[in-house]
């Protein structure tokens, strides 16, 4: 059961219970919806981007603890970053959660994201951890003219 | 479903049980530990495990009997053809169909329903015609009809269910009218375990002369089926859900319908004569079996049916009800857990949700205890929407499951509830 405890670390359980930046914002410049047809998880990510800088990110949706915690931690990581920085953080994250089970990578550089290192033991859950990120990147990549008027 | 109480009146109690240990031992995969834990397989609604005899039959086919059927004049082709056609007779007997012409081998339930949708629906539906299904259908009994409706202008109508997951039969009855050209309903719901009142549904349909297709994917391994007694027009099921190999399924259809239907796929085996001017189709059932079929699969399915028949579906039905009732009670006892689908008549599956723990997390957690259950919408998204839940966890049983499987599940669930508290 050790890998299980590593997957469901307290930090993840806490973010799952009390996610940060949860709920639709009053205004946003970018947004995208992500959907995992396999398990029915849905997420909507909203971002406010000005001059290539991510001013705010929020999300809402339903999903498992891994996907919710990942979305929550992601929002805290992305605020204040440039779009380019966001993409490079995601690349590192993706590499970590898909790393070979037998390798022993150094996660020090991953900061808060290191809590998700246990995901690599659970190939079926990689998509749960990356759903929010894919959705956020899709939102960021959208041109400014898809601003929601709501 | 059979009335077990009535059955018990005629049959001594002992006759309604079988040797569970011996059945359990027939399935080699159940004896392979998963991460050093005993495998507890509770995802039978998705697919069932295979008894040794089915595995041996398929092996023997490839080692001793393989050749293309209906073609060669040589020994092996004759053997393979005979085995293939004997398998059809096995299925006919199993369903008590009137004729072997009414048994079509397909690649599965999905394929069987698509066959009817295309060869019956596309052929006969007109704009304004209606197809009636229920809220609890599997996607495979929704999407083919939507596609046919798009092409023909027919309309898909969906009969509602109540919060317990039972079909509202009065509403259902009211939705049958002179425009209704087909009723297609699931016999047993894979996501809720609801057993639909198929006899009643068929008698309502009869009074308006509407043909009925039964999706029996979740019924065949759990309850005896007699298509003549039911008087259904079509019935579909998959081999892999009744201990047979994947890639094979059956469509039963009344001869009078099948005769009128145009083949859905063209190719070898389904023709009598081909010229570039005109092709004449082969007789039933071959006109619906284009191309080289899944011979090993069909022969494997027959062996699975022989296996089930040797245990006895009435006994399986009675035994599984006892296990399901036990599991239901045990899970219902967990405060944080809510069972989804509490129909009066249930079979095979228990769907549930747990406060604050997503089904996916539950699935991963119990897996580490060697327990295989399913998490998700189970290919029945509309019924999840109707019950306002994104997904459930589902434990589904087969003839080899034991009461103790639910003891293990309940105890694993209690630990995850603690951790997520
Ligand atoms: C009720 C029901 N109908 C249809 C299907 C589709 O069966 P298959 O995927 O074998 O074609 C399933 C399988 O999940 C089912 O449970």
């Amino acid at each position: 059961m050790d890998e299980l405890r590593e997957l469901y670390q307290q930090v993840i359980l806490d973010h799952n219970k009390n996610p940060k930046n949860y709920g639709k914002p009053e205004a946003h410049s970018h947004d995208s919806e992500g959907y995992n047809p396999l398990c029915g998880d849905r997420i909507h990510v909203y971002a406010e981007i000005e001059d290539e800088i991510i001013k705010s990110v929020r999300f809402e949706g339903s999903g498992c603890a891994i996907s919710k915690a990942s979305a929550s931690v992601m929002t805290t990581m992305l605020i204040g970053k440039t779009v380019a920085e966001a993409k490079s953080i995601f690349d590192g994250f993706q590499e970590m959660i898909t790393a070979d089970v037998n390798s022993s990578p150094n996660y020090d550089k991953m900061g808060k994201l290191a809590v998700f290192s246990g995901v690599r033991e659970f190939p079926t859950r990689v998509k749960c951890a990356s759903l929010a990120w894919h959705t956020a990147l899709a939102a960021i990549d959208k041109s400014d003219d898809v601003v929601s008027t709501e | 479903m059979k009335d077990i109480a009535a059955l018990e009146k005629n049959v001594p109690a002992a006759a309604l049980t079988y040797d569970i240990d011996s059945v359990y031992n027939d399935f080699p995969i159940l004896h392979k530990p998963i991460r050093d834990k005993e495998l507890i397989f509770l995802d039978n609604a998705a697919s069932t495990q295979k008894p040794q005899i089915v595995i041996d039959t398929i092996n023997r086919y490839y080692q001793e009997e393989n050749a293309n059927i209906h073609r060669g004049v040589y020994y092996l082709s004759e053997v393979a053809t005979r085995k293939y056609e004997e398998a059809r007779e096995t299925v006919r007997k199993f369903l008590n169909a009137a004729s072997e012409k009414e048994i079509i081998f397909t690649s599965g339930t999905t394929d069987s329903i698509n066959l009817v949708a295309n060869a019956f629906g596309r052929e006969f539906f007109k704009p304004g015609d209606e197809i009636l299904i229920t809220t609890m259908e599997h996607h495979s009994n929704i999407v083919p009809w939507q596609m046919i409706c798009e092409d023909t202008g027919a309309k898909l109508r969906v009969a509602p269910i109540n919060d317990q997951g039972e079909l509202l039969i009065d509403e259902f009855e009211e939705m049958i009218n002179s425009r209704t050209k087909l009723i297609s309903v699931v016999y047993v719901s894979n996501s809720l375990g609801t057993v639909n009142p198929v006899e009643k549904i068929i008698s309502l349909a009869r009074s308006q002369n509407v043909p009925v297709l039964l999706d029996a994917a979740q019924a065949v391994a759990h309850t005896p089926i007699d298509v003549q007694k039911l008087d259904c027009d079509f019935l579909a099921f998959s081999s892999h859900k009744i201990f047979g190999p994947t890639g094979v399924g059956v469509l039963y259809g009344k001869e009078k319908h099948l005769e009128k239907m145009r083949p859905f796929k063209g190719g070898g085996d389904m023709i009598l004569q081909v010229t570039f001017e005109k092709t004449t189709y082969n007789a039933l059932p071959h006109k619906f079996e284009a191309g080289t079929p899944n011979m090993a699969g069909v022969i494997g399915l027959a062996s699975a049916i022989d296996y089930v028949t040797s245990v006895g579906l009435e006994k399986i039905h009675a035994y599984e009800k006892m296990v399901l009732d036990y599991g239901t009670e045990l899970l219902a006892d967990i405060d944080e857990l809510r069972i989804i689908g509490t129909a009066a008549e249930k079979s095979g599956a228990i769907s549930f949700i747990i406060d604050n723990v997503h089904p996916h997390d539950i699935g991963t957690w119990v897996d580490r205890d060697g327990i295989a259950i399913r998490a998700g919408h189970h290919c029945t998204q509309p019924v999840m929407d109707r019950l306002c839940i994104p997904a459930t966890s589902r434990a589904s049983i087969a003839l080899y499951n034991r009461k103790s499987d639910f003891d293990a599940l309940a105890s694993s669930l209690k630990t995850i509830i603690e951790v997520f508290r």
Side-chain angles (χ1 to χ4, degrees):
Chain A
M1 295 288 270
D2 285 352
E3 313 98 63
L4 259 192
R5 295 290 171 169
E6 202 184 317
L7 181 67
Y8 293 110
Q9 295 183 33
Q10 198 55 46
V11 184
I12 289 182
L13 296 175
D14 291 344
H15 274 278
N16 174 46
K17 231 186 208 166
N18 300 303
K20 303 271 191 289
N21 301 305
Y22 189 86
K24 192 176 174 183
E26 305 231 312
H28 60 272
S29 60
H30 292 64
D31 79 303
S32 187
E33 252 189 302
Y35 179 53
N36 183 347
L38 203 69
C39 51
D41 287 356
R42 274 170 205 280
I43 184 172
H44 202 139
V45 175
Y46 307 89
E48 184 71 35
I49 302 176
E50 251 182 69
D51 302 330
E52 289 290 298
I53 304 217
I54 301 167
K55 296 283 182 196
S56 80
V57 192
R58 295 182 70 79
F59 80 102
E60 62 181 359
S62 73
C64 64
I66 307 301
S67 75
K68 229 157 136 191
S70 174
S72 172
V73 174
M74 175 190 79
T75 61
T76 68
M77 297 281 295
L78 291 186
I79 294 169
K81 301 285 192 303
T82 65
V83 168
E85 282 168 340
K87 287 182 180 167
S88 105
I89 296 172
F90 170 67
D91 289 342
F93 179 69
Q94 182 75 7
E95 199 175 309
M96 175 184 77
I97 60 176
T98 55
D100 189 272
V101 177
N102 299 316
S103 64
S104 44
N106 180 355
Y107 296 136
D108 295 348
K109 283 189 307 215
M110 296 309 301
K112 279 186 273 188
L113 292 177
V115 294
F116 293 100
S117 62
V119 171
R120 69 199 180 111
E121 302 270 358
F122 297 83
T124 57
R125 306 304 298 277
V126 168
K127 279 195 178 144
C128 307
S130 59
L131 179 64
W133 286 88
H134 285 298
T135 312
L137 292 185
I140 289 170
D141 278 339
K142 279 190 194 165
S143 59
D144 285 351
D145 58 14
V146 287
V147 181
S148 169
T149 49
E150 289 169 31
Chain B
M1 289 262 151
K2 277 260 165 14
D3 181 351
I4 292 301
L7 256 171
E8 275 170 344
K9 277 182 211 133
N10 309 330
V11 187
L16 271 172
T17 60
Y18 53 87
D19 183 353
I20 176 67
D21 291 337
S22 147
V23 164
Y24 180 71
N25 284 330
D26 289 336
F27 291 78
I29 206 170
L30 299 177
H31 303 274
K32 282 198 81 78
I34 302 291
R35 299 190 196 87
D36 298 330
K37 299 252 169 62
E38 182 193 3
L39 168 63
I40 294 174
F41 191 74
L42 287 169
D43 193 21
N44 293 284
S47 199
T48 56
Q49 301 303 348
K50 319 305 170 201
Q52 188 65 52
I53 186 133
V54 169
I55 300 167
D56 289 346
T57 300
I58 295 168
N59 261 331
R60 192 177 57 236
Y61 175 78
Y62 282 123
Q63 285 179 358
E64 299 172 16
E65 299 157 356
N66 176 56
N68 209 331
I69 57 165
H70 300 144
R71 303 173 194 205
V73 291
Y74 52 88
Y75 175 78
L76 278 183
S77 177
E78 272 169 23
V79 172
T81 306
R82 180 165 49 77
K83 293 251 167 178
Y84 185 83
E85 291 304 328
E86 278 171 6
R88 199 187 305 277
E89 168 60 15
T90 302
V91 175
R92 186 206 63 75
K93 234 165 87 192
F94 179 63
L95 298 177
N96 192 32
S99 155
E100 284 174 33
K101 292 182 189 167
E102 301 181 320
I103 305 298
I104 319 262
F105 289 118
T106 65
S107 73
T109 308
T110 304
D111 195 31
S112 298
I113 297 174
N114 275 277
L115 196 165
V116 179
N118 282 279
F120 186 87
R122 192 182 300 285
E123 202 57 15
F124 303 129
F125 294 168
K126 304 264 178 327
D129 283 352
E130 295 177 2
I131 303 130
L132 181 57
I133 63 171
T134 78
T135 308
M136 67 182 103
E137 301 307 323
H138 189 276
H139 293 168
S140 62
N141 197 26
I142 302 173
V143 185
W145 305 117
Q146 289 175 326
M147 294 166 74
I148 294 302
C149 285
E150 250 177 48
D151 294 352
T152 62
K155 217 170 106 195
L156 187 61
R157 301 200 62 199
V158 184
I161 59 171
N162 62 19
D163 292 340
Q164 287 73 49
E166 295 168 305
L167 179 64
L168 294 169
I169 195 76
D170 293 341
E171 278 81 347
F172 181 86
E173 180 172 5
E174 275 169 28
M175 292 174 84
I176 307 175
N177 59 52
S178 59
R179 293 181 301 278
T180 314
K181 288 289 141 45
L182 183 75
I183 292 171
S184 190
V185 294
V186 69
Y187 194 148
V188 178
S189 151
N190 63 307
S191 51
L192 304 176
T194 306
V195 179
N196 272 319
V198 291
E199 288 93 350
K200 174 89 187 153
I201 288 171
I202 292 166
S203 84
L204 290 175
R206 278 295 152 267
S207 64
Q208 305 253 15
N209 242 329
V210 182
V212 178
L213 186 161
L214 292 182
D215 169 356
Q218 298 297 342
V220 276
H222 309 284
T223 193
I225 289 180
D226 180 331
V227 289
Q228 294 193 71
K229 206 144 134 220
L230 279 171
D231 197 27
C232 56
D233 297 86
F234 299 101
L235 182 138
F237 73 91
S238 301
S239 154
H240 72 99
K241 291 188 201 278
I242 179 170
F243 320 110
T246 53
V248 184
V250 168
L251 173 68
Y252 158 80
K254 278 188 182 163
E255 192 174 342
K256 63 170 187 187
H257 296 305
L258 295 177
E259 278 297 351
K260 282 191 299 191
M261 287 156 58
R262 249 181 101 219
F264 160 44
K265 296 173 186 164
D269 249 5
M270 52 75 72
I271 45 83
L272 271 187
Q273 199 177 17
V274 177
T275 67
F276 285 116
E277 286 69 43
K278 185 172 170 56
T279 290
T280 43
Y281 304 131
N282 202 340
L284 283 177
H286 308 290
K287 88 171 180 189
F288 291 109
E289 293 179 4
T292 300
N294 185 346
M295 296 156 322
V298 162
I299 291 163
L301 165 62
S303 143
I305 288 176
D306 285 341
Y307 178 79
V308 169
T309 311
S310 75
V311 178
L313 268 167
E314 254 135 41
K315 292 179 185 177
I316 294 170
H317 184 90
Y319 172 79
E320 285 185 1
K321 177 164 170 34
M322 187 262 298
V323 174
L324 201 74
D325 286 350
Y326 178 82
T328 304
E329 222 169 275
L330 210 58
L331 297 189
D333 252 2
I334 302 174
D335 286 341
E336 295 81 356
L337 185 149
R338 181 155 70 91
I339 291 179
I340 303 297
T342 48
E345 278 277 346
K346 278 184 73 170
S347 163
I350 309 175
S351 248
F352 59 90
I353 55 176
I354 291 179
D355 296 342
N356 304 320
V357 193
H358 191 276
H360 248 186
D361 298 313
I362 296 171
T364 294
W365 189 273
V366 303
D367 172 53
R368 293 289 146 152
D369 285 331
I371 305 168
I373 61 170
R374 175 88 182 264
H377 54 56
H378 320 294
C379 296
T380 56
Q381 257 176 306
V383 81
M384 298 287 131
D385 292 345
R386 161 63 182 81
L387 300 173
C388 302
I389 40 176
T392 71
S393 300
R394 179 190 68 191
S396 56
I397 60 168
L399 79 177
Y400 39 64
N401 287 105
R402 300 148 304 171
K403 288 206 259 183
S404 59
D405 295 347
F406 280 103
D407 293 329
L409 176 62
S411 125
S412 186
L413 292 176
K414 283 175 189 160
T415 61
I416 190 172
I417 289 169
E418 268 320 303
V419 169
F420 272 66
R421 197 180 289 284

